[in-house]
Amino acid sequence: SSPVPEPQQGNLSQVERVGPWMLIGGRLGRGGQGDVTLVRHALTLERGALKQMTGKRALTEMGHQRFLREIEAFQRIEHPFVVKILDAADSTEPYLVTEVADFGSLNDNRDAFNGDVWRSLRTMRSIALGLGAAHAANIIHRDIKPKNILLQSLDHPLVADFGIAHFADMDTLTSLGSNPGAF
């Protein structure tokens, strides 16, 4: 498995912050819209996974709107098999903080599922339940792949990364002929 790195030690008064969140670790991941970093809340000391927009998409209005929609998707869905949102800011420099999945992604842990049909079936059922909750909230994920399934434990998957989700009750941000997701 790929556990979350331990926080770096040092003087907390000099730690970089994003809102009330202190950056305490290295990068947990990188996606099409941004980087994910380990953080800790300055008051509650709760750990979180901070996603911020980076790269060329951060500079575009469409990239900004997609990020705001991802925040909205997480706010609409509350389910044990969907990553839980802890905090978000929809300002000119938006950020999203979710719970930390201590076991990394399904992609990082493929070996734990090889040959274990029952674990694989239970995991697929849990993912389907999480996606069902998204569909009940009129949200279609559109980018389900092992890297977008995080693991709270080897037996507790979490659907993550709603960056290119389609909202059935809203206008689309995807241009005709574009390919926003991966299969």
Side-chain angles (χ1 to χ4, degrees):
S1 74
S2 297
V4 173
E6 286 299 313
Q8 298 170 353
Q9 300 298 317
N11 184 345
L12 293 183
S13 65
Q14 296 176 352
V15 172
E16 184 179 348
R17 291 178 186 236
V18 175
W21 299 91
M22 303 179 297
L23 279 64
I24 60 169
R27 187 168 63 201
L28 297 175
R30 169 175 258 156
Q33 290 191 54
D35 290 337
V36 181
T37 308
L38 185 63
V39 294
R40 187 174 301 278
H41 194 277
L43 298 176
T44 66
L45 302 181
E46 180 175 24
R47 290 182 326 142
L50 168 74
K51 182 175 183 180
Q52 294 178 284
M53 290 179 58
T54 58
K56 61 184 178 184
R57 288 189 183 177
L59 302 174
T60 69
E61 179 61 26
M62 184 179 287
H64 185 82
Q65 290 301 316
R66 278 191 193 280
F67 197 84
L68 296 181
R69 286 214 178 162
E70 182 172 19
I71 291 171
E72 183 177 347
F74 279 114
Q75 290 171 334
R76 282 191 189 192
I77 306 165
E78 188 173 330
H79 192 273
F81 297 117
V82 175
V83 172
K84 182 173 79 174
I85 186 171
L86 302 177
D87 189 17
D90 60 1
S91 60
T92 55
E93 294 185 26
Y95 66 86
L96 169 66
V97 179
T98 63
E99 67 183 308
V100 176
D102 288 313
F103 279 72
S105 74
L106 183 58
N107 193 62
D108 297 332
N109 291 279
R110 287 181 185 208
D111 290 346
F113 293 85
N114 285 343
D116 192 337
V117 174
W118 294 111
R119 174 177 273 168
S120 298
L121 289 172
R122 285 191 310 270
T123 299
M124 292 305 300
R125 179 183 181 275
S126 299
I127 293 167
L129 291 170
L131 290 172
H135 295 171
N138 291 314
I139 299 169
I140 311 300
H141 190 284
R142 300 196 316 169
D143 198 18
I144 290 297
K145 57 188 176 186
K147 288 181 180 179
N148 288 341
I149 303 299
L150 302 181
L151 297 173
Q152 194 68 343
S153 71
L154 290 178
D155 295 312
H156 191 137
L158 300 167
V159 177
D161 197 347
F162 285 84
I164 62 167
H166 173 72
F167 288 63
D169 55 354
M170 298 174 90
D171 292 334
T172 184
L173 287 174
T174 303
S175 304
L176 287 175
S178 69
N179 182 19
F183 183 71

